[in-house]
Amino acid sequence: AGMKCHMLEGSELAVFLKYNYGMDFDERIAKELSPDGYMDWILPKEIKIGTRTVQYDDLITHSFRLREYPVLVGNAWGAQMFNTVGNKIVMKMTPIERGKAIRQIDRSLEELRDQRNNTAKASRIIDLDTQIQALAHVLRSLQGENETLFNVNIFIQVNDYELSEQKKSGYKTKADPNSRKKRVRQALSEEGFRANDMFMQQFEAYSSLQLSGYDAFDRFKRGIHSTSCAAVFPFVYKSLCDKGGLYIGNSSGVPVFINFFRRDSERVNSNTVIIGKSGSGKSYATKSILAQLAAEDSKIFILDPENEYTKMAAGLNGKIIDVGTASQGRLNPFHIITSLSDDEEDDDAAEETAKANTFSAHLQFLEEFYKQILPGLTPEAMEFLNSLTTNMYTSRGIDQDTDFSKLSPSDYPTFNDLYDDILETFQTGFSDNEYTKGILRTLMASVSKFSEGGRDSALWNGEATITTDENFVVFDFQSLLANKNGTIANAQMLLVLKWLDNEIIKNREYNMMYHADRKIVIVIDEAHVFIDDKYPIALDFMFQLAKRIRKYNGMQIVITQNIKDFVGTEELARKSTAIINASQYSFIFPLSPNDMTDLIKLYENAGAINESEQDDIVNNGRGRAFVITSPGERTNVDIVAGTGIEELFTMS
């Protein structure tokens, strides 16, 4: 019920037929061809048939025919092989006349019963009993005229792009040239199938894999009743129904559940990218996900440029911090935060190394911070400022050997201290060096804006006072951005993300201390607001956080409506692509056709977005997302908040 059928014709039919010979082509070419040119474009220039492979131009393929099937199957029993990227499946079925089918099953039952009576092996008896019961059920259905029996052959063509590329480039590798073939065979075996690899029968396999009624192995067909044939479901993706998953919405009427913290060979992290034009449903989906994560006691931090989450925070007894003032807590740039480890493995030695490097890492961070808030400094002035900063810490007994866990916020220097040190150096040193004194004058004028009495002193001048005991914390950037000071806003964003490093570590320590499994989630909403094409340090921080947070039981969510800000320059595109590649999940809401080129560029190394998927993204309605959970698992989902969840983020 509700299945949408569509008759292929013209360029669509040409594209479908072209996929019989591989996936490496541009679908758009078909639209530019006349009908007379379709076949020349569809067919390969050369076909080579060997003893174990068939090669279409440069593409090497392997062929299988299923010879054994599981005795009992459930719905979508063929989904694994049909949905494996690079597999072409041809299922050939011939209906059997009812009387002949009944006689065929009777003979099979007699043979199975004879085998049952002539064996003493318990395991064999159990297997035969199962087969006899299954066939008896089919026989009853046929006799009641509720079923039809089909003779079935299933052929599989495996497109081996890895081996094809090796052969084409001439690059020799120690890797097994049959690894792709073995992986497919193993996957079939795990599903209960056995397959022939068609050795010395490649021409027969090639002929049978064509879209025709011809079957070179017709005499070897397996009898399968119509209910099981229908249940193979070759035309659908497996539903997204992760154990312990969050309810996301529905796909073709089937509920979708995603466990963002599932880990296996396909799912390696929890990071998520949410993209879509304004009003497409991004915020609704994000809030639905966050409300469910909050209900599971996750620790959630949100960078909110548009005052989007304050009501939700209030409803969840969270905390709202206006980062445009220090009224709810101050971030001190000179407060040293323990660095997260770059090592993605849970390695204690790597963790200790990270702690030892905390001091030098923070000095490097401060240099980037200075570049953000003091963009006019010359390289000489920046070098001098770095040296003064190091001396400021040293004079207070802080260096790379310091145990930072024993320091309190009041132990760290502030902008007042930095200004005083610059002033003292100006007054007592370099009295005869006018060039150096000129640099110091510049530094005093620059730093004075952030020290006592300066126009931006309230924001950062003083010890760190922010506390976040709550599990739902919103950093509200709206007032800061309203002042049209992107420099200060971006610098504050860097400080927030740096400060969150410590929160991530504290959450891990909490889990270790209480043997808990509390997740930590960092959300960067309207991420394009923080991107400066002249100084794209924000993207570096997002990428580093995405790369590291996975080992700390965490998840980063990056949300944007403006893709063009992510690909404005080659450097921005490179950094943005790195974030996409470090994110397991993508929710792509409706976009305008003009955004497709940029979207394709971002995802070219993350499974790509084909033409059909692009059409879906452009034409999807409000609230429908194209969801990617792995390169081979992607589908459209109508986002729906579960019962009681929507009230958590829509309450006034």
Side-chain angles (χ1 to χ4, degrees):
M3 183 184 297
K4 295 180 180 179
C5 298
H6 176 62
M7 181 73 73
L8 296 180
E9 57 185 4
S11 62
E12 287 184 311
L13 180 58
V15 168
F16 173 75
L17 294 173
K18 180 72 172 174
Y19 273 114
N20 282 277
Y21 304 102
M23 299 169 60
D24 189 15
F25 64 94
D26 188 345
E27 295 180 2
R28 292 171 292 187
I29 293 176
K31 294 182 178 180
E32 301 171 0
L33 298 174
S34 66
D36 292 338
Y38 286 158
M39 292 309 297
D40 286 340
W41 178 69
I42 291 168
L43 295 174
K45 300 296 184 292
E46 183 180 30
I47 299 176
K48 295 180 181 178
I49 298 177
T51 58
R52 294 185 182 275
T53 62
V54 174
Q55 185 169 336
Y56 304 110
D57 293 330
D58 292 324
L59 176 62
I60 298 172
T61 70
H62 311 286
S63 303
F64 294 102
R65 182 182 66 83
L66 297 188
R67 58 182 174 82
E68 290 185 22
Y69 297 75
V71 176
L72 300 175
V73 294
N75 285 333
W77 56 269
Q80 173 78 21
M81 55 183 169
F82 277 99
N83 290 332
T84 300
V85 176
N87 279 4
K88 169 190 169 184
I89 314 296
V90 175
M91 186 173 180
K92 298 200 167 179
M93 304 184 294
T94 305
I96 306 173
E97 185 269 325
R98 180 170 169 270
K100 183 178 180 181
I102 291 173
R103 291 191 296 273
Q104 185 174 316
I105 292 178
D106 276 334
R107 286 195 300 271
S108 296
L109 281 170
E110 288 176 7
E111 291 175 5
L112 290 172
R113 288 181 178 126
D114 285 341
Q115 294 177 36
R116 168 71 169 75
N117 294 330
N118 293 320
T119 185
K121 284 187 176 182
S123 59
R124 179 62 175 158
I125 290 173
I126 293 172
D127 182 46
L128 289 168
D129 283 343
T130 301
Q131 294 183 52
I132 289 168
Q133 291 171 16
L135 275 180
H137 174 73
V138 173
L139 182 60
R140 287 192 296 271
S141 297
L142 286 172
Q143 291 172 331
E145 298 185 352
N146 294 322
E147 287 279 10
T148 299
L149 194 68
F150 288 86
N151 276 330
V152 178
N153 254 337
I154 296 180
F155 299 90
I156 304 173
Q157 174 182 302
V158 179
N159 298 335
D160 199 334
Y161 293 99
E162 298 172 16
L163 181 59
S164 300
E165 187 60 31
Q166 290 175 22
K167 295 284 187 181
K168 184 178 178 181
S169 64
Y171 177 73
K172 293 184 178 181
T173 175
K174 293 182 179 179
D176 184 355
N178 292 313
S179 59
R180 167 84 169 133
K181 182 178 179 180
K182 288 179 179 178
R183 289 198 301 270
V184 172
R185 185 189 286 276
Q186 182 179 354
L188 289 170
S189 178
E190 290 172 355
E191 295 283 325
F193 299 99
R194 296 291 181 271
N196 285 335
D197 66 358
M198 316 310 291
F199 176 61
M200 297 295 291
Q201 294 178 309
Q202 290 299 304
F203 180 81
E204 291 82 355
Y206 160 77
S207 303
S208 301
L209 274 159
Q210 301 311 302
L211 300 181
S212 71
Y214 178 72
D215 185 348
F217 302 91
D218 187 76
R219 66 187 184 278
F220 298 114
K221 282 182 174 176
R222 168 73 175 265
I224 302 178
H225 59 293
S226 52
T227 299
S228 288
C229 287
V232 68
F233 293 151
F235 38 79
V236 297
Y237 287 112
K238 288 188 291 185
S239 62
L240 279 170
C241 189
D242 295 341
K243 183 178 180 181
L246 307 182
Y247 175 58
I248 303 301
N250 303 309
S251 179
S252 300
V254 179
V256 171
F257 295 86
I258 297 179
N259 183 350
F260 292 94
F261 292 89
R262 167 182 155 185
R263 293 291 183 272
D264 54 32
S265 60
E266 291 291 325
R267 313 264 192 98
V268 297
N269 64 62
S270 306
N271 300 323
T272 301
V273 174
I274 300 178
I275 300 171
K277 62 187 178 183
S278 179
S280 60
K282 301 187 307 298
S283 294
Y284 182 91
T286 304
K287 290 173 183 176
S288 176
I289 293 170
L290 293 180
Q292 294 179 77
L293 288 170
E296 295 180 350
D297 197 36
S298 299
K299 190 88 171 174
I300 298 171
F301 299 93
I302 305 172
L303 279 67
D304 182 7
E306 297 186 349
N307 196 26
E308 182 74 40
Y309 297 87
T310 52
K311 288 183 179 179
M312 187 176 182
L316 293 172
N317 295 319
K319 184 172 187 176
I320 303 152
I321 299 173
D322 183 354
V323 297
T325 70
S327 58
Q328 289 118 337
R330 179 190 299 109
L331 290 169
N332 177 12
F334 303 103
H335 188 117
I336 297 177
I337 303 296
T338 303
S339 298
L340 294 178
S341 169
D342 276 321
D343 191 341
E344 295 190 4
E345 301 300 322
D346 190 6
D347 186 348
D348 291 339
E351 194 68 41
E352 289 304 314
T353 300
K355 289 180 179 178
N357 291 335
T358 291
F359 181 68
S360 59
H362 195 79
L363 291 178
Q364 292 171 9
F365 165 77
L366 282 175
E367 181 173 356
E368 298 296 338
F369 181 75
Y370 290 150
K371 289 178 182 177
Q372 183 68 43
I373 64 171
L374 307 171
L377 287 188
T378 64
E380 292 81 3
M382 182 62 69
E383 188 62 34
F384 214 108
L385 183 57
N386 290 335
S387 177
L388 287 167
T389 301
T390 303
N391 293 337
M392 177 178 66
Y393 279 113
T394 303
S395 66
R396 288 159 179 77
I398 300 173
D399 57 27
Q400 62 184 9
D401 297 320
T402 300
D403 184 351
F404 299 102
S405 65
K406 295 182 179 180
L407 299 184
S408 66
S410 60
D411 292 325
Y412 292 101
T414 65
F415 266 111
N416 273 351
D417 297 316
L418 179 60
Y419 180 82
D420 289 344
D421 283 5
I422 296 172
L423 178 61
E424 183 180 355
T425 303
F426 177 81
Q427 292 174 338
T428 61
F430 308 103
S431 57
D432 298 327
N433 192 327
E434 286 301 321
Y435 177 74
T436 303
K437 295 191 79 170
I439 290 177
L440 289 168
R441 287 192 191 96
T442 299
L443 291 178
M444 281 191 293
S446 300
V447 173
S448 66
K449 295 183 292 185
F450 305 102
S451 59
E452 188 172 354
R455 66 172 184 265
D456 295 315
S457 62
L459 201 56
W460 298 319
N461 186 39
E463 67 181 65
T465 56
I466 279 184
T467 59
T468 53
D469 296 326
E470 297 80 4
N471 276 2
F472 197 95
V473 179
V474 175
F475 294 95
D476 184 0
F477 279 80
Q478 189 178 48
S479 65
L480 195 59
L481 290 167
N483 294 328
K484 305 295 183 183
N485 193 337
T487 298
I488 298 299
N490 286 351
Q492 185 73 314
M493 190 272 282
L494 299 185
L495 283 176
V496 170
L497 289 179
K498 182 66 176 175
W499 180 80
L500 287 175
D501 276 5
N502 195 49
E503 289 299 309
I504 293 170
I505 292 173
K506 283 166 60 178
N507 187 69
R508 187 190 194 196
E509 292 172 348
Y510 171 92
N511 286 336
M512 294 173 64
M513 180 179 297
Y514 296 103
H515 304 288
D517 189 34
R518 186 175 70 181
K519 310 295 190 300
I520 185 164
V521 182
I522 295 176
V523 182
I524 306 170
D525 195 19
E526 304 297 350
H528 57 277
V529 170
F530 299 106
I531 297 173
D532 183 348
D533 59 357
K534 296 179 182 178
Y535 194 61
I537 187 68
L539 284 174
D540 288 328
F541 269 67
M542 293 180 206
F543 170 64
Q544 293 300 328
L545 186 59
K547 190 173 68 169
R548 296 167 175 170
I549 199 170
R550 57 171 290 190
K551 73 172 284 191
Y552 291 87
N553 214 30
M555 172 186 188
Q556 176 179 265
I557 303 177
V558 175
I559 309 161
T560 187
Q561 65 174 328
N562 196 339
I563 296 183
K564 292 194 181 300
D565 283 344
F566 276 72
V567 294
T569 66
E570 283 300 318
E571 183 180 13
L572 286 177
R574 179 176 55 80
K575 293 175 183 292
S576 299
T577 299
I579 294 172
I580 298 291
N581 293 341
S583 299
Q584 181 71 51
Y585 303 92
S586 292
F587 286 66
I588 306 175
F589 285 86
L591 292 167
S592 70
N594 293 334
D595 288 324
M596 283 300 105
T597 301
D598 295 329
L599 184 72
I600 292 168
K601 187 173 184 179
L602 285 174
Y603 279 85
E604 61 185 355
N605 295 320
I609 306 288
N610 65 38
E611 186 171 314
S612 174
E613 293 165 345
Q614 293 170 44
D615 288 341
D616 284 347
I617 293 168
V618 170
N619 297 314
N620 278 343
R622 174 183 169 88
R624 171 173 282 199
F626 179 66
V627 178
I628 301 173
T629 56
S630 72
E633 285 188 313
R634 40 183 67 197
T635 189
N636 290 302
V637 178
D638 294 306
I639 306 299
V640 180
T643 304
I645 295 297
E646 188 170 347
E647 286 78 0
L648 293 176
F649 57 83
T650 57
M651 59 185 66
S652 58

